[in-house]
C-alpha cells in the first residue's frame, strides 16, 4: 500500500513543485514506484514533467469530481514517476467541490483503488489553504512543508500547522508532520540559518536536513521537462533531494568514499 506524502505551504514560490518533482525522481532512482499528483490549477508540476496542460483532455479535476477513476487519467513521465496531471479546469473544482458531500475526501477515495500499485504518492498542493490543499492533507500519511528561508516565513508555517491540526481533528487523524524542508537556502549569509533556527524555536516541528541550497540549476530544469536529478544530477541540490528521498524510503545512507590516503596500500 502506498505511503502518501503531501507537500504543502500556502505560500507560492517556496519550491513545493520542485520538491515533488525532485523527490519523486529520487525515489524512482531507489527503485520505488511513485505517483505524483498535481493539485495546483496552475499545473506547473504537469508542465515541468514534460506534459502540456493545455492539450490534456483528462485531468485530476475529472477524478476529484468522481467522473473518472484515477487509473484512466494517470500518465507516465520521462523521470520514471507516474503523474496524475492537472489542467486549469482544476480551478473549477475549488468552486464545485465545497458544495459536495465528503468534499475533503475526494482525493483520498480516488487513491484507494490505485494505491496498491505504488510505494509512494507525492501530492503537490496549490498555494492556498482551500479545499484542494485540504484534500491533499486528508489523503496524506505525512506532510512535508517546504519553507523559503526569508523573514516572515515562520508565519506561513504557523498557519499551515494550525490547518494540519484541524485536519487531524476533523478529517484525517493519522496525518503527521514529517517536517519543514528549508529551500532556496543561501549558505553564504547568516540570514537563512537564522530563519531556520527561529522556526525550530517557535514550533514543535522537525527541521529536515540538509537544506536545499539556492541554485540556478533549479530554474533551468522545468523548461526541459525533467527534474534536476536528470538535468544536473551531480549538483548539490540534486544530492540534497536524494538524501531526503533515502530518509523517506528508509534506505541507509551509503558509506562515504574512502579518503585518498586510506586507498593507498602500505
Ligand atoms: P512552489 O511550487 O512552492 O510555488 P516552485 O517549485 O514552483 O515553488 O519554485 C518556485 C521557483 O523557484 C521556480 O522557478 C523554481 O525553479 C525555483 N526554485 C525552486 N527551488 C530552487 C532552488 N533550490 N534554487 C533556485 N531556484 C529554485
Ligand atoms: Mg507549485
Amino acid at each position: 500500500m502506498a505511503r502518501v506524502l503531501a507537500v504543502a505551504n500556502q505560500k507560492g514560490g517556496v519550491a513545493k513543485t520542485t520538491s515533488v518533482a525532485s523527490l519523486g525522481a529520487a525515489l524512482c532512482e531507489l527503485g520505488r514506484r511513485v505517483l505524483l499528483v498535481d493539485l495546483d490549477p496552475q499545473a506547473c508540476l504537469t508542465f515541468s514533467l514534460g506534459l502540456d496542460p493545455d492539450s490534456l483532455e483528462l485531468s485530476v479535476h475529472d477524478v476529484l469530481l468522481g467522473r473518472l477513476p484515477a487509473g484512466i487519467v494517470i500518465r507516465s513521465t520521462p523521470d520514471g514517476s507516474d503523474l496524475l496531471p492537472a489542467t486549469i479546469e482544476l480551478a473549477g473544482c475549488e468552486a464545485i467541490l465545497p458544495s459536495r458531500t465528503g468534499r475533503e475526501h475526494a482525493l483520498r477515495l480516488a487513491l484507494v483503488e490505485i494505491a496498491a500499485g505504488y510505494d509512494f504518492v507525492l501530492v503537490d498542493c496549490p498555494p492556498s489553504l482551500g479545499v484542494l490543499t485540504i484534500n491533499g492533507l486528508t489523503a496524506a500519511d505525512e506532510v512535508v512543508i517546504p519553507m523559503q528561508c526569508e523573514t516572515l516565513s515562520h508565519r506561513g508555517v504557523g498557519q499551515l500547522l494550525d490547518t494540519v491540526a484541524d485536519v487531524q481533528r476533523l478529517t484525517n487523524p493519522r496525518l503527521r508532520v514529517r517536517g519543514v524542508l528549508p529551500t532556496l537556502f543561501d549558505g553564504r549569509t547568516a540570514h537563512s540559518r537564522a530563519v531556520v533556527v527561529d522556526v525550530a524555536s517557535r514550533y514543535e516541528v522537525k527541521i529536515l536536513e540538509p537544506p536545499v541550497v539556492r541554485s540556478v540549476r533549479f530554474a533551468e530544469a522545468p523548461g526541459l521537462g525533467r527534474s534536476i536529478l536528470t538535468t544536473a544530477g551531480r549538483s548539490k541540490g540534486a544530492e540534497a533531494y536524494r538524501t531526503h528521498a533515502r530518509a523517506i524510503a528508509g534506505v541507509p545512507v551509503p558509506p562515504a568514499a574512502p579518503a585518498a590516503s586510506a586507498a593507498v596500500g602500505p
Side-chain angles (χ1 to χ4, degrees):
M1 207 56 170
R3 226 166 96 202
V4 182
L5 274 81
V7 177
N9 185 332
Q10 70 278 19
K11 199 166 174 331
V14 300
K16 291 181 289 298
T17 301
T18 304
S19 297
V20 167
S22 307
L23 288 173
L27 286 165
C28 285
E29 281 186 354
L30 295 172
R32 301 304 193 270
R33 298 164 305 164
V34 180
L35 172 67
L36 309 180
V37 179
D38 191 349
L39 268 195
D40 187 346
Q42 293 175 64
C44 292
L45 179 66
T46 301
F47 180 83
S48 70
L49 294 178
L51 293 176
D52 175 10
D54 295 337
S55 64
L56 289 174
E57 301 232 328
L58 310 177
S59 75
V60 68
H61 167 77
D62 304 289
V63 175
L64 293 177
L65 294 185
R67 295 177 186 161
L68 288 174
I72 291 185
V73 181
I74 287 171
R75 310 282 293 252
S76 54
T77 76
D79 270 354
S81 313
D82 281 354
L83 173 70
L84 189 49
T87 66
I88 187 64
E89 270 198 310
L90 186 55
C93 263
E94 300 213 85
I96 301 169
L97 262 186
S99 63
R100 295 263 183 118
T101 308
R103 57 191 174 245
E104 297 95 349
H105 298 272
L107 180 64
R108 182 180 68 75
L109 292 172
L111 293 180
V112 166
E113 58 204 53
I114 51 163
Y118 297 99
D119 299 306
F120 290 97
V121 177
L122 306 183
V123 183
D124 185 21
C125 292
S128 77
L129 291 175
V131 70
L132 293 173
T133 293
I134 301 295
N135 261 268
L137 295 175
T138 300
D141 300 293
E142 292 175 76
V143 53
V144 173
I145 307 172
M147 180 189 74
Q148 183 174 353
C149 301
E150 60 182 21
T151 312
L152 299 185
S153 292
H154 68 88
R155 288 187 53 77
V157 174
Q159 288 158 358
L160 181 58
L161 290 174
D162 289 345
T163 302
V164 167
D166 287 344
V167 167
Q168 286 166 330
R169 197 164 46 84
L170 298 168
T171 62
N172 181 12
R174 74 177 191 291
L175 177 64
R176 70 174 198 92
V177 178
R178 182 167 184 85
V180 168
L181 175 61
T183 57
L184 293 136
F185 188 90
D186 187 350
R188 292 166 307 174
T189 67
H191 183 62
S192 282
R193 181 56 63 188
V195 170
V196 172
V197 170
D198 176 49
V199 168
S201 70
R202 281 174 197 266
Y203 310 108
E204 275 185 27
V205 67
K206 189 173 165 193
I207 304 294
L208 302 170
E209 297 276 353
V212 182
V213 291
R214 182 185 287 273
S215 153
V216 69
R217 311 306 293 272
F218 280 96
E220 298 160 355
L224 302 170
R226 306 294 297 266
S227 80
I228 190 174
L229 269 82
T230 307
T231 60
R234 300 263 65 88
S235 62
K236 241 178 136 179
E239 288 299 350
Y241 280 114
R242 284 194 185 96
T243 302
H244 291 292
R246 279 195 295 269
I248 288 167
V251 174
V253 179
S261 58
V264 179

